[in-house]
Amino acid sequence: MCFHPWSDITLPLMSSEEVRAVIDKWAEINTDLGAAYPWVQIFENKGAMMGCSNPHPHCQIWASNFLPNEARTEDRTQREYQKKHGVPMLLEYGRLEEERKERLVLSNEHWLVLVPYWAVWPFQTLLLPRRHVARLQDLSHEERDSLASIMKRLLCKYDNLFEISFPYSMGWHGAPTGCHLSEDCSHWQLHAHYYPPLLRSASVRKFMVGYEMLAQAQRDLTAEQAAERLRNLPEEHYKLRKSEEPPTGGGE
C-alpha cells in the first residue's frame, strides 16, 4: 500500500492530513480483510537497512487464515492478565508508564509513546491508545487525528536522532478478526511496535548475534536512557529546520 505519490517523501515529511488518510486506509483494509481472515498484519519496513528495496513510501499488509506466533502469544498473555486482574494488560501498563514518566517519550490527548521496559532494540517504542480500543477500525475521528499527529512527532524525532531517514520495522497488533469477531476480545488493546536498528550513529547498527541469538538479548542502553534521548529531540524535522537557516559566508 503506497502512502504518497512522491517517491522521495516519508511519513514524517507528509502533512497530518496525508498521514490521516493512511490511517483511514489501514482501518478500511483491516475491516475488509478482517471480515474473512483471522489475522491482518499491517507493517512497514523502512530503509534499505531493514530490507526495503523500494524507495517509495509504503507498507505491506498480509492476511492469514491462522494466528501467527506473535499474535498467539499476545492473545494468551493479555487474556491471562485480564482474567487475573480484571483490566486489559496494555491499558494498565500504559497508565503506569505515564505515571512514572521515566520511559515515556510522547503523549497527547488520545495516545502514548513509550520505550517498553522489555525493549531489546536501542530505540524501540510502543504506541498505545489511552482508552480501551481493540482494533484500528474502532478508533474515533478524533483519535485518528491524534494518531496522525503523534506518529509525525515520533518519526520526526527518529529522523532527528542521527539526521537521516531513520530505518525501522513497525506494525500494528490488534484483536484477531475473521472467526474471532464474534468472540470476547476485550482483553486486547490495540498497539503498534516500532523496531529501529540504529545504535550510535547513522552507520552503526545493533546486530542480534552470538550470545543474543543463543542465550539472551542484551541492551546497549537502558530503556530510560533511550526514552530520555528521544524525548529531548526537537519535533520539527531536521530537513525543514535546515531549509530555514540563513546562508552563511560572504561579505557585507
PDB file of all heavy atoms in Angstrom, residues 86-121:
ATOM      1  N   GLY A  86      -8.623  -8.293  35.871  1.00  0.00           N
ATOM      2  CA  GLY A  86      -9.872  -7.636  35.530  1.00  0.00           C
ATOM      3  C   GLY A  86      -9.760  -6.423  34.636  1.00  0.00           C
ATOM      4  O   GLY A  86     -10.760  -5.739  34.387  1.00  0.00           O
ATOM      5  N   VAL A  87      -8.560  -6.119  34.151  1.00  0.00           N
ATOM      6  CA  VAL A  87      -8.354  -4.978  33.235  1.00  0.00           C
ATOM      7  C   VAL A  87      -7.427  -5.413  32.110  1.00  0.00           C
ATOM      8  O   VAL A  87      -6.617  -6.323  32.280  1.00  0.00           O
ATOM      9  CB  VAL A  87      -7.735  -3.765  33.966  1.00  0.00           C
ATOM     10  CG1 VAL A  87      -8.714  -3.183  34.967  1.00  0.00           C
ATOM     11  CG2 VAL A  87      -6.434  -4.146  34.646  1.00  0.00           C
ATOM     12  N   PRO A  88      -7.519  -4.774  30.935  1.00  0.00           N
ATOM     13  CA  PRO A  88      -6.595  -5.096  29.847  1.00  0.00           C
ATOM     14  C   PRO A  88      -5.152  -4.761  30.241  1.00  0.00           C
ATOM     15  O   PRO A  88      -4.887  -3.679  30.769  1.00  0.00           O
ATOM     16  CB  PRO A  88      -7.069  -4.226  28.682  1.00  0.00           C
ATOM     17  CG  PRO A  88      -8.494  -3.895  29.008  1.00  0.00           C
ATOM     18  CD  PRO A  88      -8.545  -3.814  30.497  1.00  0.00           C
ATOM     19  N   MET A  89      -4.241  -5.670  29.987  1.00  0.00           N
ATOM     20  CA  MET A  89      -2.859  -5.527  30.436  1.00  0.00           C
ATOM     21  C   MET A  89      -2.190  -4.274  29.871  1.00  0.00           C
ATOM     22  O   MET A  89      -1.578  -3.499  30.617  1.00  0.00           O
ATOM     23  CB  MET A  89      -2.051  -6.768  30.020  1.00  0.00           C
ATOM     24  CG  MET A  89      -0.579  -6.698  30.382  1.00  0.00           C
ATOM     25  SD  MET A  89       0.292  -8.255  30.075  1.00  0.00           S
ATOM     26  CE  MET A  89       0.178  -8.380  28.294  1.00  0.00           C
ATOM     27  N   LEU A  90      -2.286  -4.042  28.579  1.00  0.00           N
ATOM     28  CA  LEU A  90      -1.571  -2.919  27.978  1.00  0.00           C
ATOM     29  C   LEU A  90      -2.215  -1.577  28.326  1.00  0.00           C
ATOM     30  O   LEU A  90      -1.527  -0.552  28.349  1.00  0.00           O
ATOM     31  CB  LEU A  90      -1.470  -3.092  26.462  1.00  0.00           C
ATOM     32  CG  LEU A  90      -0.497  -4.179  26.004  1.00  0.00           C
ATOM     33  CD1 LEU A  90      -0.485  -4.281  24.484  1.00  0.00           C
ATOM     34  CD2 LEU A  90       0.915  -3.909  26.519  1.00  0.00           C
ATOM     35  N   LEU A  91      -3.510  -1.576  28.595  1.00  0.00           N
ATOM     36  CA  LEU A  91      -4.152  -0.350  29.053  1.00  0.00           C
ATOM     37  C   LEU A  91      -3.596   0.029  30.420  1.00  0.00           C
ATOM     38  O   LEU A  91      -3.239   1.184  30.672  1.00  0.00           O
ATOM     39  CB  LEU A  91      -5.664  -0.536  29.120  1.00  0.00           C
ATOM     40  CG  LEU A  91      -6.484   0.696  29.503  1.00  0.00           C
ATOM     41  CD1 LEU A  91      -6.372   1.781  28.444  1.00  0.00           C
ATOM     42  CD2 LEU A  91      -7.946   0.318  29.730  1.00  0.00           C
ATOM     43  N   GLU A  92      -3.501  -0.950  31.302  1.00  0.00           N
ATOM     44  CA  GLU A  92      -2.935  -0.721  32.633  1.00  0.00           C
ATOM     45  C   GLU A  92      -1.455  -0.354  32.547  1.00  0.00           C
ATOM     46  O   GLU A  92      -0.975   0.531  33.259  1.00  0.00           O
ATOM     47  CB  GLU A  92      -3.127  -1.980  33.484  1.00  0.00           C
ATOM     48  CG  GLU A  92      -2.702  -1.833  34.935  1.00  0.00           C
ATOM     49  CD  GLU A  92      -3.694  -1.045  35.778  1.00  0.00           C
ATOM     50  OE1 GLU A  92      -4.702  -0.533  35.230  1.00  0.00           O
ATOM     51  OE2 GLU A  92      -3.451  -0.933  36.981  1.00  0.00           O
ATOM     52  N   TYR A  93      -0.728  -1.033  31.657  1.00  0.00           N
ATOM     53  CA  TYR A  93       0.703  -0.766  31.523  1.00  0.00           C
ATOM     54  C   TYR A  93       0.944   0.673  31.060  1.00  0.00           C
ATOM     55  O   TYR A  93       1.825   1.373  31.583  1.00  0.00           O
ATOM     56  CB  TYR A  93       1.346  -1.751  30.545  1.00  0.00           C
ATOM     57  CG  TYR A  93       2.801  -1.470  30.289  1.00  0.00           C
ATOM     58  CD1 TYR A  93       3.729  -1.482  31.326  1.00  0.00           C
ATOM     59  CD2 TYR A  93       3.254  -1.153  29.009  1.00  0.00           C
ATOM     60  CE1 TYR A  93       5.070  -1.197  31.104  1.00  0.00           C
ATOM     61  CE2 TYR A  93       4.591  -0.883  28.776  1.00  0.00           C
ATOM     62  CZ  TYR A  93       5.491  -0.898  29.821  1.00  0.00           C
ATOM     63  OH  TYR A  93       6.813  -0.597  29.595  1.00  0.00           O
ATOM     64  N   GLY A  94       0.169   1.125  30.083  1.00  0.00           N
ATOM     65  CA  GLY A  94       0.314   2.498  29.606  1.00  0.00           C
ATOM     66  C   GLY A  94       0.088   3.509  30.712  1.00  0.00           C
ATOM     67  O   GLY A  94       0.813   4.508  30.830  1.00  0.00           O
ATOM     68  N   ARG A  95      -0.912   3.259  31.561  1.00  0.00           N
ATOM     69  CA  ARG A  95      -1.194   4.177  32.667  1.00  0.00           C
ATOM     70  C   ARG A  95      -0.037   4.220  33.664  1.00  0.00           C
ATOM     71  O   ARG A  95       0.328   5.288  34.165  1.00  0.00           O
ATOM     72  CB  ARG A  95      -2.483   3.742  33.373  1.00  0.00           C
ATOM     73  CG  ARG A  95      -3.740   3.980  32.558  1.00  0.00           C
ATOM     74  CD  ARG A  95      -4.944   3.351  33.209  1.00  0.00           C
ATOM     75  NE  ARG A  95      -6.176   3.586  32.450  1.00  0.00           N
ATOM     76  CZ  ARG A  95      -7.297   2.916  32.626  1.00  0.00           C
ATOM     77  NH1 ARG A  95      -7.362   1.977  33.559  1.00  0.00           N
ATOM     78  NH2 ARG A  95      -8.363   3.186  31.897  1.00  0.00           N
ATOM     79  N   LEU A  96       0.537   3.062  33.955  1.00  0.00           N
ATOM     80  CA  LEU A  96       1.658   3.010  34.891  1.00  0.00           C
ATOM     81  C   LEU A  96       2.872   3.744  34.347  1.00  0.00           C
ATOM     82  O   LEU A  96       3.553   4.487  35.075  1.00  0.00           O
ATOM     83  CB  LEU A  96       2.003   1.555  35.201  1.00  0.00           C
ATOM     84  CG  LEU A  96       0.967   0.774  36.019  1.00  0.00           C
ATOM     85  CD1 LEU A  96       1.340  -0.705  36.076  1.00  0.00           C
ATOM     86  CD2 LEU A  96       0.835   1.350  37.418  1.00  0.00           C
ATOM     87  N   GLU A  97       3.166   3.555  33.053  1.00  0.00           N
ATOM     88  CA  GLU A  97       4.316   4.238  32.453  1.00  0.00           C
ATOM     89  C   GLU A  97       4.099   5.749  32.410  1.00  0.00           C
ATOM     90  O   GLU A  97       5.042   6.527  32.585  1.00  0.00           O
ATOM     91  CB  GLU A  97       4.581   3.695  31.046  1.00  0.00           C
ATOM     92  CG  GLU A  97       5.153   2.281  31.011  1.00  0.00           C
ATOM     93  CD  GLU A  97       6.611   2.216  31.457  1.00  0.00           C
ATOM     94  OE1 GLU A  97       7.109   3.169  32.089  1.00  0.00           O
ATOM     95  OE2 GLU A  97       7.261   1.195  31.174  1.00  0.00           O
ATOM     96  N   GLU A  98       2.861   6.165  32.183  1.00  0.00           N
ATOM     97  CA  GLU A  98       2.589   7.602  32.162  1.00  0.00           C
ATOM     98  C   GLU A  98       2.778   8.205  33.549  1.00  0.00           C
ATOM     99  O   GLU A  98       3.243   9.342  33.688  1.00  0.00           O
ATOM    100  CB  GLU A  98       1.174   7.871  31.652  1.00  0.00           C
ATOM    101  CG  GLU A  98       0.891   9.347  31.453  1.00  0.00           C
ATOM    102  CD  GLU A  98      -0.446   9.613  30.818  1.00  0.00           C
ATOM    103  OE1 GLU A  98      -1.346   8.761  30.914  1.00  0.00           O
ATOM    104  OE2 GLU A  98      -0.594  10.691  30.217  1.00  0.00           O
ATOM    105  N   GLU A  99       2.432   7.475  34.581  1.00  0.00           N
ATOM    106  CA  GLU A  99       2.626   7.962  35.947  1.00  0.00           C
ATOM    107  C   GLU A  99       4.108   8.100  36.277  1.00  0.00           C
ATOM    108  O   GLU A  99       4.541   9.099  36.855  1.00  0.00           O
ATOM    109  CB  GLU A  99       1.965   6.996  36.940  1.00  0.00           C
ATOM    110  CG  GLU A  99       0.454   7.046  36.950  1.00  0.00           C
ATOM    111  CD  GLU A  99      -0.139   6.009  37.891  1.00  0.00           C
ATOM    112  OE1 GLU A  99       0.641   5.365  38.641  1.00  0.00           O
ATOM    113  OE2 GLU A  99      -1.372   5.834  37.880  1.00  0.00           O
ATOM    114  N   ARG A 100       4.912   7.109  35.877  1.00  0.00           N
ATOM    115  CA  ARG A 100       6.342   7.127  36.201  1.00  0.00           C
ATOM    116  C   ARG A 100       7.123   8.098  35.323  1.00  0.00           C
ATOM    117  O   ARG A 100       8.089   8.704  35.766  1.00  0.00           O
ATOM    118  CB  ARG A 100       6.926   5.720  36.045  1.00  0.00           C
ATOM    119  CG  ARG A 100       6.338   4.711  37.019  1.00  0.00           C
ATOM    120  CD  ARG A 100       7.050   3.390  36.962  1.00  0.00           C
ATOM    121  NE  ARG A 100       8.469   3.527  37.312  1.00  0.00           N
ATOM    122  CZ  ARG A 100       9.260   2.499  37.570  1.00  0.00           C
ATOM    123  NH1 ARG A 100       8.790   1.268  37.499  1.00  0.00           N
ATOM    124  NH2 ARG A 100      10.524   2.695  37.879  1.00  0.00           N
ATOM    125  N   LYS A 101       6.740   8.196  34.049  1.00  0.00           N
ATOM    126  CA  LYS A 101       7.314   9.140  33.093  1.00  0.00           C
ATOM    127  C   LYS A 101       8.767   8.837  32.689  1.00  0.00           C
ATOM    128  O   LYS A 101       9.303   9.495  31.814  1.00  0.00           O
ATOM    129  CB  LYS A 101       7.219  10.582  33.603  1.00  0.00           C
ATOM    130  CG  LYS A 101       5.798  11.099  33.689  1.00  0.00           C
ATOM    131  CD  LYS A 101       5.737  12.548  34.094  1.00  0.00           C
ATOM    132  CE  LYS A 101       4.349  13.129  33.915  1.00  0.00           C
ATOM    133  NZ  LYS A 101       3.288  12.367  34.567  1.00  0.00           N
ATOM    134  N   GLU A 102       9.413   7.875  33.313  1.00  0.00           N
ATOM    135  CA  GLU A 102      10.816   7.588  33.003  1.00  0.00           C
ATOM    136  C   GLU A 102      11.003   7.058  31.589  1.00  0.00           C
ATOM    137  O   GLU A 102      12.013   7.339  30.944  1.00  0.00           O
ATOM    138  CB  GLU A 102      11.364   6.556  33.995  1.00  0.00           C
ATOM    139  CG  GLU A 102      11.468   7.044  35.419  1.00  0.00           C
ATOM    140  CD  GLU A 102      11.909   5.939  36.359  1.00  0.00           C
ATOM    141  OE1 GLU A 102      11.468   4.787  36.188  1.00  0.00           O
ATOM    142  OE2 GLU A 102      12.716   6.233  37.265  1.00  0.00           O
ATOM    143  N   ARG A 103      10.051   6.277  31.122  1.00  0.00           N
ATOM    144  CA  ARG A 103      10.171   5.670  29.799  1.00  0.00           C
ATOM    145  C   ARG A 103       9.179   6.262  28.799  1.00  0.00           C
ATOM    146  O   ARG A 103       9.064   5.776  27.683  1.00  0.00           O
ATOM    147  CB  ARG A 103       9.994   4.147  29.910  1.00  0.00           C
ATOM    148  CG  ARG A 103      11.130   3.467  30.660  1.00  0.00           C
ATOM    149  CD  ARG A 103      10.952   1.953  30.728  1.00  0.00           C
ATOM    150  NE  ARG A 103       9.965   1.579  31.707  1.00  0.00           N
ATOM    151  CZ  ARG A 103      10.252   1.167  32.943  1.00  0.00           C
ATOM    152  NH1 ARG A 103      11.513   1.106  33.348  1.00  0.00           N
ATOM    153  NH2 ARG A 103       9.288   0.816  33.782  1.00  0.00           N
ATOM    154  N   LEU A 104       8.485   7.311  29.201  1.00  0.00           N
ATOM    155  CA  LEU A 104       7.529   7.979  28.327  1.00  0.00           C
ATOM    156  C   LEU A 104       8.258   8.905  27.363  1.00  0.00           C
ATOM    157  O   LEU A 104       9.118   9.678  27.772  1.00  0.00           O
ATOM    158  CB  LEU A 104       6.520   8.778  29.159  1.00  0.00           C
ATOM    159  CG  LEU A 104       5.330   9.372  28.409  1.00  0.00           C
ATOM    160  CD1 LEU A 104       4.420   8.277  27.880  1.00  0.00           C
ATOM    161  CD2 LEU A 104       4.557  10.318  29.331  1.00  0.00           C
ATOM    162  N   VAL A 105       7.933   8.816  26.084  1.00  0.00           N
ATOM    163  CA  VAL A 105       8.568   9.655  25.060  1.00  0.00           C
ATOM    164  C   VAL A 105       7.646  10.785  24.636  1.00  0.00           C
ATOM    165  O   VAL A 105       8.036  11.953  24.601  1.00  0.00           O
ATOM    166  CB  VAL A 105       8.967   8.803  23.832  1.00  0.00           C
ATOM    167  CG1 VAL A 105       9.557   9.685  22.727  1.00  0.00           C
ATOM    168  CG2 VAL A 105       9.949   7.708  24.221  1.00  0.00           C
ATOM    169  N   LEU A 106       6.402  10.452  24.318  1.00  0.00           N
ATOM    170  CA  LEU A 106       5.440  11.425  23.819  1.00  0.00           C
ATOM    171  C   LEU A 106       4.053  11.086  24.331  1.00  0.00           C
ATOM    172  O   LEU A 106       3.750   9.920  24.630  1.00  0.00           O
ATOM    173  CB  LEU A 106       5.391  11.407  22.282  1.00  0.00           C
ATOM    174  CG  LEU A 106       6.555  11.983  21.497  1.00  0.00           C
ATOM    175  CD1 LEU A 106       6.430  11.609  20.028  1.00  0.00           C
ATOM    176  CD2 LEU A 106       6.608  13.503  21.653  1.00  0.00           C
ATOM    177  N   SER A 107       3.193  12.094  24.386  1.00  0.00           N
ATOM    178  CA  SER A 107       1.795  11.848  24.711  1.00  0.00           C
ATOM    179  C   SER A 107       0.950  12.973  24.128  1.00  0.00           C
ATOM    180  O   SER A 107       1.432  14.084  23.894  1.00  0.00           O
ATOM    181  CB  SER A 107       1.588  11.760  26.230  1.00  0.00           C
ATOM    182  OG  SER A 107       1.907  12.989  26.853  1.00  0.00           O
ATOM    183  N   ASN A 108      -0.303  12.659  23.873  1.00  0.00           N
ATOM    184  CA  ASN A 108      -1.287  13.685  23.545  1.00  0.00           C
ATOM    185  C   ASN A 108      -2.621  13.251  24.138  1.00  0.00           C
ATOM    186  O   ASN A 108      -2.662  12.344  24.992  1.00  0.00           O
ATOM    187  CB  ASN A 108      -1.356  13.976  22.037  1.00  0.00           C
ATOM    188  CG  ASN A 108      -1.822  12.791  21.204  1.00  0.00           C
ATOM    189  OD1 ASN A 108      -2.391  11.812  21.720  1.00  0.00           O
ATOM    190  ND2 ASN A 108      -1.585  12.855  19.903  1.00  0.00           N
ATOM    191  N   GLU A 109      -3.689  13.840  23.726  1.00  0.00           N
ATOM    192  CA  GLU A 109      -4.984  13.586  24.361  1.00  0.00           C
ATOM    193  C   GLU A 109      -5.408  12.121  24.281  1.00  0.00           C
ATOM    194  O   GLU A 109      -6.063  11.597  25.193  1.00  0.00           O
ATOM    195  CB  GLU A 109      -6.058  14.469  23.711  1.00  0.00           C
ATOM    196  CG  GLU A 109      -7.433  14.322  24.340  1.00  0.00           C
ATOM    197  CD  GLU A 109      -8.481  15.187  23.659  1.00  0.00           C
ATOM    198  OE1 GLU A 109      -8.131  15.931  22.721  1.00  0.00           O
ATOM    199  OE2 GLU A 109      -9.658  15.112  24.081  1.00  0.00           O
ATOM    200  N   HIS A 110      -5.009  11.440  23.202  1.00  0.00           N
ATOM    201  CA  HIS A 110      -5.520  10.091  22.966  1.00  0.00           C
ATOM    202  C   HIS A 110      -4.448   9.001  22.916  1.00  0.00           C
ATOM    203  O   HIS A 110      -4.801   7.810  22.901  1.00  0.00           O
ATOM    204  CB  HIS A 110      -6.302  10.054  21.650  1.00  0.00           C
ATOM    205  CG  HIS A 110      -7.465  10.993  21.611  1.00  0.00           C
ATOM    206  ND1 HIS A 110      -7.426  12.195  20.926  1.00  0.00           N
ATOM    207  CD2 HIS A 110      -8.698  10.923  22.186  1.00  0.00           C
ATOM    208  CE1 HIS A 110      -8.589  12.811  21.059  1.00  0.00           C
ATOM    209  NE2 HIS A 110      -9.377  12.065  21.818  1.00  0.00           N
ATOM    210  N   TRP A 111      -3.146   9.355  22.886  1.00  0.00           N
ATOM    211  CA  TRP A 111      -2.102   8.368  22.634  1.00  0.00           C
ATOM    212  C   TRP A 111      -0.888   8.559  23.538  1.00  0.00           C
ATOM    213  O   TRP A 111      -0.607   9.669  23.991  1.00  0.00           O
ATOM    214  CB  TRP A 111      -1.646   8.435  21.163  1.00  0.00           C
ATOM    215  CG  TRP A 111      -2.740   8.054  20.211  1.00  0.00           C
ATOM    216  CD1 TRP A 111      -3.665   8.888  19.671  1.00  0.00           C
ATOM    217  CD2 TRP A 111      -3.021   6.751  19.723  1.00  0.00           C
ATOM    218  NE1 TRP A 111      -4.508   8.177  18.859  1.00  0.00           N
ATOM    219  CE2 TRP A 111      -4.140   6.855  18.876  1.00  0.00           C
ATOM    220  CE3 TRP A 111      -2.435   5.493  19.900  1.00  0.00           C
ATOM    221  CZ2 TRP A 111      -4.687   5.759  18.210  1.00  0.00           C
ATOM    222  CZ3 TRP A 111      -2.967   4.392  19.255  1.00  0.00           C
ATOM    223  CH2 TRP A 111      -4.083   4.529  18.417  1.00  0.00           C
ATOM    224  N   LEU A 112      -0.164   7.465  23.742  1.00  0.00           N
ATOM    225  CA  LEU A 112       1.109   7.462  24.451  1.00  0.00           C
ATOM    226  C   LEU A 112       2.158   6.770  23.586  1.00  0.00           C
ATOM    227  O   LEU A 112       1.863   5.787  22.911  1.00  0.00           O
ATOM    228  CB  LEU A 112       1.006   6.688  25.771  1.00  0.00           C
ATOM    229  CG  LEU A 112      -0.051   7.112  26.785  1.00  0.00           C
ATOM    230  CD1 LEU A 112      -0.110   6.077  27.906  1.00  0.00           C
ATOM    231  CD2 LEU A 112       0.280   8.490  27.340  1.00  0.00           C
ATOM    232  N   VAL A 113       3.397   7.276  23.627  1.00  0.00           N
ATOM    233  CA  VAL A 113       4.542   6.596  23.030  1.00  0.00           C
ATOM    234  C   VAL A 113       5.564   6.400  24.136  1.00  0.00           C
ATOM    235  O   VAL A 113       5.932   7.354  24.824  1.00  0.00           O
ATOM    236  CB  VAL A 113       5.178   7.405  21.880  1.00  0.00           C
ATOM    237  CG1 VAL A 113       6.422   6.687  21.355  1.00  0.00           C
ATOM    238  CG2 VAL A 113       4.181   7.620  20.749  1.00  0.00           C
ATOM    239  N   LEU A 114       6.012   5.173  24.319  1.00  0.00           N
ATOM    240  CA  LEU A 114       6.968   4.885  25.378  1.00  0.00           C
ATOM    241  C   LEU A 114       7.987   3.856  24.902  1.00  0.00           C
ATOM    242  O   LEU A 114       7.766   3.152  23.914  1.00  0.00           O
ATOM    243  CB  LEU A 114       6.239   4.394  26.628  1.00  0.00           C
ATOM    244  CG  LEU A 114       5.289   3.203  26.451  1.00  0.00           C
ATOM    245  CD1 LEU A 114       5.981   1.888  26.775  1.00  0.00           C
ATOM    246  CD2 LEU A 114       4.052   3.374  27.341  1.00  0.00           C
ATOM    247  N   VAL A 115       9.112   3.809  25.592  1.00  0.00           N
ATOM    248  CA  VAL A 115      10.092   2.750  25.381  1.00  0.00           C
ATOM    249  C   VAL A 115       9.758   1.657  26.387  1.00  0.00           C
ATOM    250  O   VAL A 115       9.912   1.867  27.588  1.00  0.00           O
ATOM    251  CB  VAL A 115      11.537   3.255  25.599  1.00  0.00           C
ATOM    252  CG1 VAL A 115      12.520   2.098  25.419  1.00  0.00           C
ATOM    253  CG2 VAL A 115      11.861   4.375  24.619  1.00  0.00           C
ATOM    254  N   PRO A 116       9.239   0.508  25.946  1.00  0.00           N
ATOM    255  CA  PRO A 116       8.827  -0.516  26.908  1.00  0.00           C
ATOM    256  C   PRO A 116      10.008  -1.077  27.679  1.00  0.00           C
ATOM    257  O   PRO A 116      11.130  -1.135  27.154  1.00  0.00           O
ATOM    258  CB  PRO A 116       8.174  -1.584  26.026  1.00  0.00           C
ATOM    259  CG  PRO A 116       8.794  -1.411  24.680  1.00  0.00           C
ATOM    260  CD  PRO A 116       9.064   0.064  24.541  1.00  0.00           C
ATOM    261  N   TYR A 117       9.780  -1.472  28.908  1.00  0.00           N
ATOM    262  CA  TYR A 117      10.882  -1.964  29.744  1.00  0.00           C
ATOM    263  C   TYR A 117      11.510  -3.222  29.174  1.00  0.00           C
ATOM    264  O   TYR A 117      12.668  -3.522  29.471  1.00  0.00           O
ATOM    265  CB  TYR A 117      10.398  -2.208  31.176  1.00  0.00           C
ATOM    266  CG  TYR A 117       9.507  -3.410  31.350  1.00  0.00           C
ATOM    267  CD1 TYR A 117      10.050  -4.679  31.561  1.00  0.00           C
ATOM    268  CD2 TYR A 117       8.116  -3.277  31.310  1.00  0.00           C
ATOM    269  CE1 TYR A 117       9.225  -5.785  31.729  1.00  0.00           C
ATOM    270  CE2 TYR A 117       7.297  -4.376  31.468  1.00  0.00           C
ATOM    271  CZ  TYR A 117       7.849  -5.628  31.673  1.00  0.00           C
ATOM    272  OH  TYR A 117       7.032  -6.718  31.822  1.00  0.00           O
ATOM    273  N   TRP A 118      10.785  -3.938  28.319  1.00  0.00           N
ATOM    274  CA  TRP A 118      11.322  -5.166  27.744  1.00  0.00           C
ATOM    275  C   TRP A 118      12.037  -4.935  26.408  1.00  0.00           C
ATOM    276  O   TRP A 118      12.479  -5.889  25.763  1.00  0.00           O
ATOM    277  CB  TRP A 118      10.196  -6.180  27.538  1.00  0.00           C
ATOM    278  CG  TRP A 118       9.134  -5.729  26.564  1.00  0.00           C
ATOM    279  CD1 TRP A 118       9.179  -5.807  25.193  1.00  0.00           C
ATOM    280  CD2 TRP A 118       7.873  -5.127  26.882  1.00  0.00           C
ATOM    281  NE1 TRP A 118       8.041  -5.294  24.641  1.00  0.00           N
ATOM    282  CE2 TRP A 118       7.211  -4.873  25.656  1.00  0.00           C
ATOM    283  CE3 TRP A 118       7.246  -4.800  28.083  1.00  0.00           C
ATOM    284  CZ2 TRP A 118       5.947  -4.289  25.606  1.00  0.00           C
ATOM    285  CZ3 TRP A 118       5.979  -4.223  28.019  1.00  0.00           C
ATOM    286  CH2 TRP A 118       5.346  -3.969  26.803  1.00  0.00           C
ATOM    287  N   ALA A 119      12.175  -3.687  25.988  1.00  0.00           N
ATOM    288  CA  ALA A 119      12.762  -3.386  24.679  1.00  0.00           C
ATOM    289  C   ALA A 119      14.164  -3.985  24.549  1.00  0.00           C
ATOM    290  O   ALA A 119      14.964  -3.921  25.484  1.00  0.00           O
ATOM    291  CB  ALA A 119      12.822  -1.876  24.472  1.00  0.00           C
ATOM    292  N   VAL A 120      14.452  -4.547  23.392  1.00  0.00           N
ATOM    293  CA  VAL A 120      15.792  -5.078  23.115  1.00  0.00           C
ATOM    294  C   VAL A 120      16.491  -4.287  22.010  1.00  0.00           C
ATOM    295  O   VAL A 120      17.725  -4.274  21.944  1.00  0.00           O
ATOM    296  CB  VAL A 120      15.756  -6.575  22.743  1.00  0.00           C
ATOM    297  CG1 VAL A 120      15.291  -7.398  23.925  1.00  0.00           C
ATOM    298  CG2 VAL A 120      14.871  -6.834  21.534  1.00  0.00           C
ATOM    299  N   TRP A 121      15.727  -3.621  21.139  1.00  0.00           N
ATOM    300  CA  TRP A 121      16.340  -2.733  20.148  1.00  0.00           C
ATOM    301  C   TRP A 121      16.586  -1.382  20.799  1.00  0.00           C
ATOM    302  O   TRP A 121      15.825  -0.954  21.669  1.00  0.00           O
ATOM    303  CB  TRP A 121      15.442  -2.607  18.920  1.00  0.00           C
ATOM    304  CG  TRP A 121      15.318  -3.909  18.190  1.00  0.00           C
ATOM    305  CD1 TRP A 121      14.303  -4.811  18.286  1.00  0.00           C
ATOM    306  CD2 TRP A 121      16.283  -4.478  17.297  1.00  0.00           C
ATOM    307  NE1 TRP A 121      14.566  -5.906  17.501  1.00  0.00           N
ATOM    308  CE2 TRP A 121      15.779  -5.728  16.882  1.00  0.00           C
ATOM    309  CE3 TRP A 121      17.518  -4.061  16.818  1.00  0.00           C
ATOM    310  CZ2 TRP A 121      16.464  -6.562  16.006  1.00  0.00           C
ATOM    311  CZ3 TRP A 121      18.208  -4.885  15.936  1.00  0.00           C
ATOM    312  CH2 TRP A 121      17.686  -6.114  15.528  1.00  0.00           C
TER     313      TRP A 121
END
